[in-house]
Short mmCIF file of all heavy atoms in Angstrom, two decimals:
data_model
loop_
_atom_site.label_atom_id
_atom_site.label_comp_id
_atom_site.label_asym_id
_atom_site.label_seq_id
_atom_site.Cartn_x
_atom_site.Cartn_y
_atom_site.Cartn_z
N CYS M 98 89.52 89.33 68.68
CA CYS M 98 89.16 90.05 67.60
C CYS M 98 88.97 91.47 67.91
O CYS M 98 88.81 91.85 69.11
CB CYS M 98 87.77 89.53 66.81
SG CYS M 98 86.47 89.67 67.96
N ARG M 99 89.03 92.33 66.78
CA ARG M 99 88.67 93.78 67.00
C ARG M 99 87.24 94.00 67.08
O ARG M 99 86.46 93.34 66.47
CB ARG M 99 89.29 94.47 65.73
CG ARG M 99 90.71 94.56 65.70
CD ARG M 99 91.24 95.09 67.00
NE ARG M 99 92.80 95.14 67.11
CZ ARG M 99 93.41 96.26 66.92
NH1 ARG M 99 92.84 97.36 66.70
NH2 ARG M 99 94.72 96.29 67.05
N CYS M 100 86.79 94.72 67.97
CA CYS M 100 85.35 95.24 68.13
C CYS M 100 85.35 96.69 68.09
O CYS M 100 86.28 97.43 68.35
CB CYS M 100 84.75 94.64 69.48
SG CYS M 100 84.77 92.89 69.38
N TRP M 101 84.15 97.25 67.81
CA TRP M 101 83.98 98.60 67.69
C TRP M 101 82.84 99.20 68.47
O TRP M 101 81.69 98.61 68.40
CB TRP M 101 83.84 99.10 66.12
CG TRP M 101 84.99 98.93 65.39
CD1 TRP M 101 85.91 99.88 64.93
CD2 TRP M 101 85.49 97.77 64.72
NE1 TRP M 101 86.84 99.33 64.14
CE2 TRP M 101 86.67 97.96 63.93
CE3 TRP M 101 85.12 96.39 64.74
CZ2 TRP M 101 87.44 97.07 63.31
CZ3 TRP M 101 85.84 95.52 64.10
CH2 TRP M 101 86.94 95.77 63.27
N ARG M 102 82.97 100.27 69.28
CA ARG M 102 81.85 100.70 69.92
C ARG M 102 81.91 102.37 69.74
O ARG M 102 82.93 102.92 70.18
CB ARG M 102 81.90 100.45 71.45
CG ARG M 102 81.60 98.95 71.51
CD ARG M 102 81.46 98.38 72.90
NE ARG M 102 81.41 96.94 72.84
CZ ARG M 102 81.28 96.21 73.99
NH1 ARG M 102 81.41 96.76 75.22
NH2 ARG M 102 81.22 94.88 73.86
N GLU M 103 80.81 102.89 69.27
CA GLU M 103 80.70 104.35 68.96
C GLU M 103 80.86 105.09 70.24
O GLU M 103 80.25 104.92 71.21
CB GLU M 103 79.38 104.49 68.30
CG GLU M 103 79.16 106.00 67.96
CD GLU M 103 79.73 106.34 66.61
OE1 GLU M 103 79.12 106.00 65.53
OE2 GLU M 103 80.72 107.13 66.61
N GLY M 104 81.70 106.14 70.09
CA GLY M 104 81.84 107.14 71.25
C GLY M 104 82.51 106.81 72.51
O GLY M 104 82.47 107.61 73.40
N GLU M 105 83.12 105.59 72.52
CA GLU M 105 83.81 105.29 73.79
C GLU M 105 85.25 105.64 73.71
O GLU M 105 86.11 104.92 73.02
CB GLU M 105 83.63 103.87 74.03
CG GLU M 105 82.19 103.31 74.09
CD GLU M 105 81.89 102.07 74.64
OE1 GLU M 105 82.85 101.35 75.07
OE2 GLU M 105 80.77 101.69 74.76
N ARG M 106 85.64 106.76 74.36
CA ARG M 106 87.06 107.19 74.25
C ARG M 106 87.42 107.86 75.63
O ARG M 106 86.62 108.75 76.20
CB ARG M 106 87.20 108.22 73.21
CG ARG M 106 88.62 108.70 73.01
CD ARG M 106 89.46 107.47 72.39
NE ARG M 106 90.85 107.82 72.13
CZ ARG M 106 91.93 107.39 72.97
NH1 ARG M 106 91.71 106.58 73.98
NH2 ARG M 106 93.19 107.75 72.67
N GLY M 107 88.40 107.30 76.29
CA GLY M 107 88.86 107.88 77.53
C GLY M 107 90.28 107.20 77.78
O GLY M 107 90.75 106.47 76.96
N SER M 108 90.80 107.27 79.12
CA SER M 108 92.05 106.60 79.31
C SER M 108 91.83 105.21 79.39
O SER M 108 92.81 104.37 79.32
CB SER M 108 92.65 107.17 80.52
OG SER M 108 91.90 106.82 81.71
N GLN M 109 90.67 104.63 79.45
CA GLN M 109 90.41 103.18 79.58
C GLN M 109 89.61 102.65 78.38
O GLN M 109 89.20 101.63 78.40
CB GLN M 109 89.71 102.83 80.77
CG GLN M 109 90.36 103.28 82.08
CD GLN M 109 89.56 103.35 83.27
OE1 GLN M 109 88.55 102.69 83.39
NE2 GLN M 109 90.06 103.97 84.36
N HIS M 110 89.26 103.49 77.47
CA HIS M 110 88.45 103.13 76.36
C HIS M 110 89.02 103.68 74.98
O HIS M 110 89.60 104.74 74.94
CB HIS M 110 87.08 103.80 76.41
CG HIS M 110 86.16 103.24 77.65
ND1 HIS M 110 86.29 103.72 78.83
CD2 HIS M 110 85.29 102.40 77.63
CE1 HIS M 110 85.53 103.06 79.58
NE2 HIS M 110 84.82 102.15 78.87
N ILE M 111 88.86 102.88 74.05
CA ILE M 111 89.25 103.27 72.69
C ILE M 111 88.15 102.66 71.68
O ILE M 111 87.65 101.57 72.02
CB ILE M 111 90.62 102.77 72.27
CG1 ILE M 111 91.22 103.56 71.21
CG2 ILE M 111 90.76 101.26 72.28
CD1 ILE M 111 92.85 103.36 71.27
N PRO M 112 87.63 103.44 70.77
CA PRO M 112 86.50 102.92 70.06
C PRO M 112 86.69 101.59 69.26
O PRO M 112 85.79 100.85 69.05
CB PRO M 112 86.14 104.03 69.03
CG PRO M 112 86.90 105.21 69.49
CD PRO M 112 88.07 104.70 70.35
N GLU M 113 88.00 101.37 68.83
CA GLU M 113 88.30 100.11 68.23
C GLU M 113 89.36 99.39 69.27
O GLU M 113 90.30 99.86 69.48
CB GLU M 113 89.04 100.23 66.86
CG GLU M 113 89.49 98.91 66.23
CD GLU M 113 90.25 99.14 64.89
OE1 GLU M 113 90.16 100.14 64.30
OE2 GLU M 113 90.78 98.11 64.43
N PHE M 114 88.82 98.25 69.74
CA PHE M 114 89.60 97.59 70.76
C PHE M 114 89.61 96.10 70.57
O PHE M 114 88.96 95.55 69.58
CB PHE M 114 89.00 97.85 72.16
CG PHE M 114 87.65 97.47 72.38
CD1 PHE M 114 87.41 96.32 73.02
CD2 PHE M 114 86.59 98.21 71.76
CE1 PHE M 114 85.98 95.80 73.22
CE2 PHE M 114 85.20 97.71 71.91
CZ PHE M 114 84.91 96.46 72.63
N THR M 115 90.47 95.38 71.37
CA THR M 115 90.67 94.05 71.03
C THR M 115 90.03 93.23 72.21
O THR M 115 90.17 93.34 73.35
CB THR M 115 92.13 93.63 70.97
OG1 THR M 115 92.72 94.49 69.91
CG2 THR M 115 92.32 92.16 70.66
N LEU M 116 89.05 92.36 71.85
CA LEU M 116 88.35 91.57 72.77
C LEU M 116 88.74 90.17 72.67
O LEU M 116 88.92 89.60 71.57
CB LEU M 116 86.79 91.66 72.44
CG LEU M 116 85.83 91.55 73.52
CD1 LEU M 116 86.05 92.58 74.59
CD2 LEU M 116 84.39 91.73 73.05
N LEU M 117 88.86 89.41 73.73
CA LEU M 117 88.94 87.95 73.80
C LEU M 117 87.69 87.43 74.26
O LEU M 117 87.12 87.88 75.39
CB LEU M 117 90.20 87.66 74.86
CG LEU M 117 89.91 86.12 75.30
CD1 LEU M 117 90.20 85.12 74.24
CD2 LEU M 117 90.93 85.92 76.46
N GLU M 118 86.95 86.61 73.54
CA GLU M 118 85.72 86.06 73.93
C GLU M 118 85.73 84.58 73.92
O GLU M 118 86.27 84.03 72.95
CB GLU M 118 84.53 86.62 73.02
CG GLU M 118 83.14 86.39 73.49
CD GLU M 118 82.17 87.46 73.25
OE1 GLU M 118 82.54 88.66 73.36
OE2 GLU M 118 81.08 87.11 72.84
N TRP M 119 85.35 83.94 74.92
CA TRP M 119 85.28 82.51 74.84
C TRP M 119 83.98 81.96 75.49
O TRP M 119 83.34 82.66 76.32
CB TRP M 119 86.45 81.84 75.52
CG TRP M 119 86.77 81.67 76.91
CD1 TRP M 119 86.26 80.65 77.77
CD2 TRP M 119 87.28 82.66 77.83
NE1 TRP M 119 86.60 80.85 78.95
CE2 TRP M 119 87.24 82.03 79.18
CE3 TRP M 119 87.82 83.88 77.61
CZ2 TRP M 119 87.76 82.74 80.31
CZ3 TRP M 119 88.27 84.53 78.83
CH2 TRP M 119 88.34 83.90 80.03
N TYR M 120 83.63 80.81 74.99
CA TYR M 120 82.48 80.06 75.38
C TYR M 120 82.66 78.67 75.84
O TYR M 120 83.62 78.00 75.16
CB TYR M 120 81.32 80.08 74.26
CG TYR M 120 80.73 81.49 74.04
CD1 TYR M 120 81.40 82.42 73.25
CD2 TYR M 120 79.71 81.94 74.73
CE1 TYR M 120 80.99 83.62 73.02
CE2 TYR M 120 79.09 83.17 74.52
CZ TYR M 120 79.81 84.03 73.74
OH TYR M 120 79.41 85.30 73.57
N HIS M 121 82.05 78.18 76.86
CA HIS M 121 82.34 76.81 77.31
C HIS M 121 80.98 76.08 77.69
O HIS M 121 80.33 76.46 78.56
CB HIS M 121 83.17 76.93 78.65
CG HIS M 121 83.93 75.74 78.95
ND1 HIS M 121 85.21 75.68 79.52
CD2 HIS M 121 83.65 74.36 78.70
CE1 HIS M 121 85.61 74.44 79.57
NE2 HIS M 121 84.67 73.60 79.18
N SER M 122 80.67 75.16 76.83
CA SER M 122 79.41 74.43 76.94
C SER M 122 79.40 73.72 78.29
O SER M 122 80.46 73.17 78.70
CB SER M 122 79.20 73.45 75.91
OG SER M 122 78.77 74.15 74.70
#
Side-chain angles (χ1 to χ4, degrees):
Chain M
C98 62
R99 289 308 178 101
C100 295
W101 290 261
R102 294 184 186 177
E103 180 83 73
E105 303 196 359
R106 186 70 177 107
S108 66
Q109 303 162 15
H110 294 82
I111 197 158
E113 176 177 348
F114 61 102
T115 303
L116 208 57
L117 159 66
E118 187 145 323
W119 79 93
Y120 289 87
H121 202 146
S122 285

